[in-house]
Amino acid sequence: MPEPFVNLTAVAAPLEMSNVDTDQILPARYLRRPRDERYATYGFHDLRFTPEGAKRDDFLLNRAPFDRAAILVAQRNFGVGSSREAAVYALLAMGVRCVVAESFGDIFFNNSLKNGLLPVRLPEAACADLRAQLLARPGADISVDLEAGTLTAPDGTVHGFAIPPFARDCLLRGLDEIGLTMTLMHEIEAFEAMRSGQTG
Amino acid sequence: MPRTLFEKIWDAHVVHRRDDGLCLLYVDRHYFHEGSFHAFNMLRARGLKVRRPDLSFGFGDHYAPTRARDTAAIADPEIRGIIQTFESNARAAGIRAFELADAQQGIVHVAGPELGLTLPGMTVVCGDSHTSSHGALGALAFGIGASEVAHVFATQTIWQSMPRQIRVTFDGALPQGASAKDMALALIAEIGTGGALGGAIEFAGAAVRALSVEGRLTLCNMAIEAGARTGMVAPDAVTQAWLAGRPFATPVDIAGLRSDDDAAFAAEVRLDAGRIGPMATWGTSPEEAVPLSARVPKPEEAPDEARRRAWRRSLEYMGLQGGERLADVKVDRVFLGSCTNARLEDLRAAASVLKGRRIAVPMLVSPGSSGVKRAAEAEGLDRIFTEAGASWEESACSLCVSMNGDSVGEGERCASTSNRNFVGRQGRGARTHLVSPASAAAAAVTGRLVSAESV
Ligand code: SF4
């Protein structure tokens, strides 16, 4: 079951990157690992660590206060590429609960919603403004209110965002879709009966 | 109401429609691979069973070793374990899985269609983004995540919102020497990796109709790299002829499976296939592609500041300056494989370039399926590859994703027929140039990024 997501006020980190693909969020060699707390070190692994395993200071998420960030603000096409849901597990393990971007990879967007990670789409200018504020005031908070569908910038500017209603309900209540779909089982069975009637 | 092909298949699979438009779709065909262990774990955690084991098929491909078929002999315990878990999960659920040593094993998006498991008009899902490939047969096919895989196992359905419809028309005829892969790279270079974001592409036009099913699979495979949820081609006589006699195929009436003449598309993209030549990527995103005859672009030439920065980062990772001719870029190795370009037609295209020649840099050939491997050997392609000096190996995802132990070294440059040139995709620090099978063979022979014509 995903954790419910209602609202969140937390340190946010600006990621001046577009096309952050899920291979970068979670390198393929970690995909064979079972889901556990080690996912916190797998997240963005090759950007965070040198091949010898040393922390790379040139990567923002390695530096205080951004190493505490629960919100990331990126550019366009965050989470494109591979369908690996484990990329979402890695972000969650790192403590990230919300990603703001101009656009998201389609499957990543769905995977996030199903695991209690909130993907917030905002226009290019709004994302750029948020990143500029976060750079100017390191450690500043962003507030997200899912019920109201609003995100509040460090300077108090309020941006509205939309999440598909069904996914939003599930997130707010921490429900998973399987349980909800099970209540429609009679319709699934009726569909199968109708189809076998057609072909038989 | 006139409808698109996508809408027709969609409508025929709606089990439940919510007021907000979200639909519960019935899934006709579900494929899975070794990465499915998360989904099986979720089922177990909830005490749920696989509801329709007869509609799911498993393929061991992502971790399959390129040089062996014996699971017990795999040295890496993690890789061995994940393959064993895949096989035991499938068996316990009563699902047919094509395991490592199975004669019908292969990469899911190659072997599934080849076995006749994907048919026109079907809904097809798999926990893998390149599921879009199956749209080549006129199916509605898309990739899903692990939670959705668990959902499909438990209910045989999936929640989906209707994507926007995009028609990509390739007019004219593809010149000699260009292939479906070059069409895909030309399209992504034109519209960008976000160009079709969240949309469903229908590929149309004379140059698409003229493609074999293999070529259509390549094109639909790459639709995801343009950001699309899926790609599809209306089934026709070519599709029917290709499916005839395949082990799991049953006859399908394709008469209505096309977009109505006045169906509405949210966006239309037109390309002149006659102007498409052999392409290659120079950067770390599939949109960073240019003709092989061109130069690597310079950051100053980028259309905007964001891309200027992205290009700089790409060039730095790729060890390029910008401005050099691709033909002068030296490669260290070549990979011919993956669900994009390892079908029989692809192997033939590469072999025709290699015939009677020797390779200058190491080349790994991994057929798309064990069936493709046998077919290629039956016509002697394996001899052409090995006589040229290439390694002719087993079917696996291999260097497309580097999960099975194969990898390209740090800083090494690889001409690859796969689909993603992402940072680190072929190994940490590996530099990938995406090309067609013929261009990959040309790169192997010359050690440089050139087209087959210039060999
Ligand atoms: S060959 Fe590559 S893209 Fe295709 S299924 Fe395997 S890993 Fe995915």
Side-chain angles (χ1 to χ4, degrees):
Chain A
M1 296 283 170
E3 265 185 65
F5 189 110
V6 182
N7 44 49
L8 172 72
T9 296
V11 172
L15 272 191
E16 299 290 345
M17 293 167 77
S18 57
N19 289 319
V20 176
D21 54 73
T22 51
D23 274 81
Q24 286 183 69
I25 301 172
L26 182 69
R29 60 184 183 278
Y30 298 117
L31 288 178
R32 64 187 75 141
R33 301 276 170 85
R35 185 176 181 180
D36 58 26
E37 61 293 337
R38 288 178 300 171
Y39 271 69
T41 49
Y42 307 155
F44 290 111
H45 186 278
D46 294 351
L47 290 165
R48 282 164 69 206
F49 302 98
T50 65
E52 294 72 39
K55 253 191 178 180
R56 294 174 55 149
D57 285 335
D58 58 348
F59 189 59
L60 189 91
L61 295 183
N62 273 349
R63 295 203 303 264
F66 299 116
D67 53 357
R68 291 185 281 124
I71 299 173
L72 303 179
V73 185
Q75 300 180 343
R76 65 182 178 106
N77 290 337
F78 189 90
V80 286
S82 161
S83 62
R84 58 189 71 165
E85 189 163 305
V88 174
Y89 308 159
L91 289 171
L92 288 170
M94 290 173 69
V96 175
R97 291 298 309 274
C98 170
V99 180
V100 184
E102 293 160 37
S103 52
F104 289 91
D106 208 36
I107 306 174
F108 177 85
F109 190 82
N110 284 330
N111 288 342
S112 299
L113 292 172
K114 289 178 171 54
N115 287 281
L117 179 82
L118 186 69
V120 173
R121 273 190 280 245
L122 289 183
E124 182 177 351
C127 290
D129 183 49
L130 285 174
R131 290 194 306 271
Q133 291 187 41
L134 297 172
L135 269 185
R137 290 177 48 200
D141 283 348
I142 283 180
S143 289
V144 186
D145 183 338
L146 178 57
E147 186 108 55
T150 56
L151 179 148
T152 308
D155 70 355
T157 312
V158 178
H159 302 278
F161 66 87
I163 293 291
F166 182 55
R168 180 176 164 277
D169 288 354
C170 288
L171 267 177
L172 285 169
R173 293 153 64 194
L175 295 176
D176 79 278
E177 288 178 357
I178 294 180
L180 293 173
T181 307
M182 287 296 199
T183 65
L184 298 171
M185 196 48 79
H186 57 289
E187 292 185 48
I188 298 172
E189 285 163 1
F191 183 90
E192 286 174 331
M194 181 266 292
R195 285 244 300 215
S196 64
Q198 272 174 2
T199 53
Chain B
M1 261 281 277
R3 292 181 299 166
T4 64
L5 169 62
F6 185 96
E7 288 163 343
K8 289 181 186 180
I9 302 177
W10 177 284
D11 290 348
H13 289 84
V14 174
V15 172
H16 181 91
R17 192 187 303 270
R18 279 169 45 104
D19 292 342
D20 61 14
L22 193 71
C23 288
L24 186 66
L25 297 183
Y26 196 76
V27 173
D28 294 325
R29 179 68 68 235
H30 172 230
Y31 296 114
F32 63 100
H33 52 81
E34 303 96 315
S36 57
F37 71 93
H38 286 297
F40 279 107
N41 287 345
M42 290 178 202
L43 284 187
R44 266 193 289 272
R46 286 172 179 74
L48 292 168
K49 279 202 156 53
V50 174
R51 189 166 167 277
R52 291 292 305 266
D54 56 324
L55 301 182
S56 282
F57 290 85
F59 289 90
D61 52 7
H62 282 66
Y63 293 89
T66 318
R67 289 176 178 82
R69 293 287 94 164
D70 179 2
T71 307
I74 298 170
D76 184 315
E78 272 185 349
I79 293 179
R80 190 172 63 242
I82 202 164
I83 294 176
Q84 284 166 341
T85 302
F86 159 74
E87 296 179 349
S88 64
N89 277 335
R91 283 183 209 164
I95 299 174
R96 174 85 164 96
F98 301 93
E99 302 178 355
L100 205 51
D102 196 305
Q104 291 174 321
Q105 177 273 348
I107 305 173
V108 52
H109 311 310
V110 177
E114 176 183 280
L115 292 173
L117 283 166
T118 297
L119 297 172
M122 273 186 171
T123 47
V124 179
V125 299
C126 173
D128 188 279
S129 55
H130 292 96
T131 308
S132 59
S133 312
H134 303 255
L137 292 149
L140 196 170
F142 51 89
I144 56 179
S147 296
E148 292 176 312
V149 171
H151 188 281
V152 173
F153 272 142
T155 68
Q156 204 54 38
T157 59
I158 183 120
W159 289 101
Q160 281 286 301
S161 56
M162 175 73 86
R164 67 193 175 106
Q165 311 283 302
I166 302 165
R167 181 159 51 195
V168 174
T169 307
F170 286 94
D171 294 309
L174 209 54
Q176 189 72 31
S179 69
K181 178 63 155 294
D182 302 305
M183 290 165 77
L185 288 174
L187 169 69
I188 300 164
E190 171 97 11
I191 68 172
T193 48
L197 205 66
I201 296 180
E202 180 175 342
F203 292 106
V208 173
R209 298 257 74 87
L211 288 175
S212 64
V213 170
E214 277 96 336
R216 295 175 188 183
L217 283 159
T218 301
L219 192 56
C220 291
N221 176 277
M222 296 286 288
I224 174 88
E225 306 308 332
R229 198 179 298 179
T230 190
M232 65 200 312
V233 176
D236 57 12
V238 175
T239 322
Q240 294 284 58
W242 191 83
L243 282 169
R246 296 194 178 263
F248 290 87
T250 49
V252 185
D253 177 12
I254 60 165
L257 288 176
R258 51 186 290 277
S259 291
D260 295 327
D261 289 339
D262 31 13
F265 287 86
E268 296 261 10
V269 179
R270 289 200 101 92
L271 283 95
D272 178 359
R275 301 174 67 94
I276 296 173
M279 303 279 297
T281 59
W282 55 266
T284 58
S285 163
E287 70 185 17
E288 293 169 349
V290 292
L292 269 172
S293 56
R295 287 173 184 275
V296 177
K298 296 180 184 164
E300 306 83 275
E301 297 156 14
D304 52 57
E305 183 51 37
R307 235 158 303 189
R308 194 165 310 141
R309 248 181 290 135
W311 286 16
R312 256 192 218 112
R313 204 178 294 131
S314 288
L315 287 170
E316 193 193 328
Y317 179 83
M318 294 298 292
L320 297 169
Q321 304 290 314
E324 54 268 76
R325 290 185 336 139
L326 277 170
D328 293 330
V329 174
K330 290 203 174 82
V331 300
D332 300 300
R333 56 179 60 251
V334 174
F335 174 56
L336 174 57
S338 89
C339 60
T340 311
N341 272 142
R343 298 180 183 84
L344 191 55
E345 179 179 292
D346 301 316
L347 302 186
R348 284 181 185 147
S352 74
V353 178
L354 288 177
K355 194 164 185 161
R357 295 196 167 95
R358 288 288 301 177
I359 54 173
V361 295
M363 178 182 196
L364 171 62
V365 187
S366 177
S369 71
S370 297
V372 166
K373 181 170 191 249
R374 281 192 304 278
E377 287 171 350
E379 53 186 77
L381 301 183
D382 58 320
R383 299 238 328 267
I384 299 179
F385 286 115
T386 50
E387 280 165 14
S391 344
W392 174 254
E393 304 294 350
E394 302 287 348
S395 174
C397 292
S398 179
L399 282 181
C400 172
V401 69
S402 293
M403 286 179 177
N404 71 342
D406 297 342
S407 71
V408 174
E410 173 113 33
E412 273 195 330
R413 192 180 297 287
C414 180
S416 176
T417 64
S418 53
N419 44 52
R420 287 186 175 140
N421 52 340
F422 294 168
V423 167
R425 174 85 177 178
Q426 292 191 299
R428 187 167 182 159
R431 295 164 171 160
T432 307
H433 294 272
L434 302 178
V435 291
S436 74
S439 305
V445 169
T446 60
R448 288 175 294 115
L449 290 172
V450 295
S451 70
E453 277 169 356
S454 50
V455 174

